[in-house]
Amino acid sequence: MEAPTPADSTPHRPRKGGRKASPLAEKQRHVVSVRLTDKEHERLNREAERYRLSQGEVLRSVWSKQDTATKLPAPPTPDEARLLVQLAGMAANLNQITKLAHLQQDQRTGAATVLGQMHHLLKRLAPEA
């Protein structure tokens, strides 16, 4: 037999505990993993302890205070990428000429031509230098 329940009792609802939810815009929903060297990890731990912040908070505070777009080199344009490939090919040619020169074979004119072309390409890639 069931025990009679009082008529004025309400069904039990669990209480919501803990911190109130923040607005969706403020939620940190994405996780990014970063590989660090032992030295970098020690530095991050020291900074976190020094400022009494979590490691993530330290990284976010540094990142948010810097304009990273100006610090990072821009990716090469298609024209620059083509020139870099051409430069790499010339470097390989120069390497082969150097090997032949070590074998006592005269390759001065070929080396001078390749070096001149490389110099010209480097000037086009970095005009300010």
Side-chain angles (χ1 to χ4, degrees), residues 30-42:
H30 303 282
V31 177
V32 177
S33 63
V34 178
R35 292 185 185 270
L36 302 174
T37 63
D38 290 338
K39 190 175 180 180
E40 292 168 337
H41 189 251
E42 289 172 12

Side-chain angles (χ1 to χ4, degrees), residues 94-114:
L94 185 60
N95 215 7
Q96 291 171 354
I97 292 170
T98 304
K99 286 181 183 180
L100 290 174
H102 285 296
L103 296 172
Q104 306 303 328
Q105 296 179 11
D106 189 19
Q107 299 293 326
R108 280 181 254 167
T109 56
T113 303
V114 171

